[in-house]
Amino acid sequence: MTTAGTGHAEADGGEKGGIRTALAGLTTRGRSFLAAGVAAAICSYVLGQADLLRVGLLLTVLPLVCAAVLYRTRYRVAGSRRLSPARVPAGSEARVHLRMDNVSRLPTGLLMLQDRVPYVLGPRPRFVLDRVEAGGRREVSYRVRSDLRGRYPLGPLQLRLTDPFGMCELTRSFSTFDTLTVIPRVEPLAPVRLSGEAKGYGDGRQRSLALAGEDDVIPRGYRYGDDLRRVHWRSTARYGELMVRREEQPQRARCTVLLDTRGIAYQGAGPDAAFEWAVSGAASVLVHMLERGYSVRLLTDTGDAVPGEGGDGFAGASQESADAAGLMMDTLAVIDHSDGAGLSRAYDVLRGGNEGLLVAFLGDLDEDQAAVLGRMRQRSPGAVAFVLDSESWVREPSDVPGPLDRSEDRLRMLREAGWTALRVSRGASVDEVWRQADRERRGVVAASGGEGRG
């Protein structure tokens, strides 16, 4: 269980302000008593009934006294909020823990605690807290859930104070709030072997020469089985133990996940839309590749790359996979459609080459964008494209299927350029199309008699 977003604030029952603040807090009961008291006083004057005047004074004074006592009651209350967890996948629940501490020397009366939450997370939670003794605490919790990814503010907390007769209520707001991040759904993917992967470190490590000169070697301790010809005597004398040259050092293989966010490439909206499937697919591949030891990055059609560490934009080998995954998940949580019409900016980022495996989630394509993707393939040793047929995502199952000539023509262009391209229809799972991509790649390799370059 993770803890995040803990904030503290204080509410003071004797907050500065005029008597108008107290009178504005009169409840319906208090206002009714006040109106009835004034009416009884007027009637007693008209009818000449002294007993009725005493009743009217009682009805009038009671809500005013309650408002004055509640307003001038001085106590201090501290509140805090804790999210568990602070980052949750779409469709999953998170629990919000609230804690109230009475830090004054006086016990409180009846308190009503209310937290502000966006409507997409559910109804606004309200809790009634009984008398809190001096130095005491109360803890309550509630659950939130959203099918829509995004960043949602929680708070600020509101504390509603009331008198024992229910004549007056005053609201005190805390100043702090927290943020709940709803990330895309991540599906576990099968550990298939796609083209363009390097051999060595599991399925994804390359090797490179460590350094060029004798003085630049990075030595390491001797291990059983090391060639004695690799002993570095200068380092051995310095450290007092046998050291060998590290002639080769591992280098993480790379994977770029391209997400097409063009608004013109997708139809429909909502949690079941084609664009949301593409975002979820990109998140699943990113997490899967990080778990396999890849150095990954997220690239959009606008040319923005996440993370942006270093000159190449990849998550460096020194960066923890969990931190890199969290950064990319936070980006995907708020990503939206772009106004762009093409993929040329993404191609400019990929022109440097040495991008490793390229996995693309694409919307509707025209002939020009298919040609740009064909040039992208030349910059990568292996490329897999999942092309979403937007019409099938907005069409009801009972409708007559539309023509597929255009989408099939675009898939053919990608395959001729060397892509492993698949058409994704409504209802397909990410793991299903992931396995299908591996099967199609193996089928192409078997038909060609073996895997060639890239």
Side-chain angles (χ1 to χ4, degrees):
M1 181 177 63
T2 57
T3 302
T6 301
H8 296 274
E10 291 187 353
D12 193 341
E15 190 181 43
K16 295 181 179 180
I19 192 63
R20 294 182 180 178
T21 303
L23 294 179
L26 288 175
T27 62
T28 303
R29 180 184 299 178
R31 296 177 187 273
S32 300
F33 269 62
L34 188 61
V38 173
I42 295 175
C43 292
S44 68
Y45 176 79
V46 173
L47 300 177
Q49 297 290 331
D51 294 338
L52 189 57
L53 178 61
R54 287 190 286 270
V55 174
L57 291 176
L58 176 62
L59 295 177
T60 303
V61 170
L62 182 59
L64 296 179
V65 171
C66 291
V69 171
L70 183 64
Y71 178 75
R72 295 188 61 83
T73 298
R74 305 192 64 86
Y75 57 87
R76 301 176 69 83
V77 178
S80 64
R81 182 190 299 104
R82 179 168 54 89
L83 307 183
S84 176
R87 185 188 291 118
V88 61
S92 301
E93 290 185 344
R95 184 169 288 275
V96 183
H97 301 268
L98 304 178
R99 172 176 165 178
M100 302 300 300
D101 293 270
N102 183 10
V103 296
S104 66
R105 299 180 179 179
L106 298 175
T108 69
L110 191 65
L111 305 177
M112 189 173 79
L113 187 64
Q114 176 178 280
D115 203 8
R116 290 185 179 180
V117 299
Y119 71 94
V120 296
L121 297 182
R124 181 172 295 182
R126 293 181 175 91
F127 304 94
V128 177
L129 305 180
D130 202 354
R131 176 179 179 273
V132 182
E133 65 280 2
R137 71 178 61 171
R138 296 291 185 272
E139 294 185 3
V140 293
S141 64
Y142 64 93
R143 294 177 295 179
V144 291
R145 179 181 180 274
S146 174
D147 292 328
L148 300 174
R149 55 186 177 81
R151 293 173 63 87
Y152 301 102
L154 300 178
L157 278 171
Q158 288 185 335
L159 193 63
R160 190 172 295 179
L161 319 175
T162 184
D163 64 281
F165 299 101
M167 297 289 178
C168 182
E169 288 183 353
L170 295 181
T171 301
R172 298 288 184 260
S173 294
F174 294 79
S175 59
T176 60
F177 66 92
D178 299 293
T179 301
L180 176 68
T181 303
V182 180
I183 63 176
R185 294 184 179 91
V186 176
E187 294 187 26
L189 302 181
V192 301
R193 180 173 178 80
L194 300 173
S195 61
E197 296 185 357
K199 301 177 181 178
Y201 177 70
D203 289 329
R205 169 149 316 181
Q206 298 172 334
R207 289 189 173 273
S208 61
L209 291 178
L211 295 165
E214 174 70 17
D215 296 334
D216 294 330
V217 295
I218 302 177
R220 62 169 175 82
Y222 175 82
R223 298 172 186 170
Y224 179 78
D226 286 338
D227 191 347
L228 293 178
R229 290 174 295 182
R230 293 172 54 193
V231 173
H232 192 255
W233 298 109
R234 183 178 302 177
S235 298
T236 300
R238 178 184 303 174
Y239 294 106
E241 60 177 323
L242 202 58
M243 307 292 290
V244 296
R245 292 189 302 270
R246 187 182 302 175
E247 296 177 351
E248 290 184 344
Q249 62 181 9
Q251 185 181 58
R252 301 177 74 182
R254 294 178 172 182
C255 175
T256 298
V257 177
L258 173 62
L259 177 61
D260 183 7
T261 63
R262 296 174 298 140
I264 61 175
Y266 300 94
Q267 301 180 29
D272 297 328
F275 180 67
E276 295 302 320
W277 191 97
V279 174
S280 177
S284 302
V285 173
L286 287 170
V287 173
H288 176 71
M289 288 302 181
L290 280 172
E291 291 176 349
R292 298 187 62 185
Y294 276 70
S295 181
V296 302
R297 71 172 172 182
L298 171 67
L299 179 65
T300 65
D301 58 288
T302 60
D304 297 329
V306 180
E309 302 292 336
D312 55 7
F314 285 88
S318 60
Q319 185 175 8
E320 294 293 337
S321 297
D323 295 338
L327 180 59
M328 288 182 284
M329 290 301 105
D330 289 343
T331 302
L332 290 176
V334 296
I335 201 167
D336 203 354
H337 291 294
S338 68
D339 298 329
L343 302 172
S344 57
R345 293 184 179 179
Y347 171 71
D348 293 338
V349 177
L350 297 173
R351 291 180 65 179
N354 193 24
E355 305 301 327
L357 179 63
L358 177 60
V359 182
F361 291 86
L362 308 167
D364 293 333
L365 301 173
D366 55 23
E367 187 173 353
D368 294 336
Q369 304 314 315
V372 173
L373 288 168
R375 294 194 295 270
M376 286 185 188
R377 173 64 180 87
Q378 301 173 3
R379 305 293 178 180
S380 176
V384 182
F386 301 102
V387 183
L388 281 74
D389 181 15
S390 296
E391 293 185 0
S392 68
W393 289 80
V394 297
R395 187 173 56 241
E396 294 297 330
S398 58
D399 295 344
V400 178
L404 301 178
D405 296 341
R406 181 179 176 182
S407 61
E408 291 297 335
D409 183 59
R410 303 295 178 260
L411 290 175
R412 179 184 55 80
M413 293 180 61
L414 294 179
R415 289 163 181 163
E416 290 178 352
W419 285 81
T420 301
L422 283 81
R423 175 177 173 269
V424 181
S425 301
R426 182 178 181 179
S429 67
V430 181
D431 182 61
E432 176 184 346
V433 296
W434 183 254
R435 293 173 181 269
Q436 184 180 353
D438 178 59
R439 290 193 297 268
E440 291 201 6
R441 182 199 65 84
R442 287 185 294 174
V444 172
V445 171
S448 60
E451 186 174 1
R453 296 180 59 185

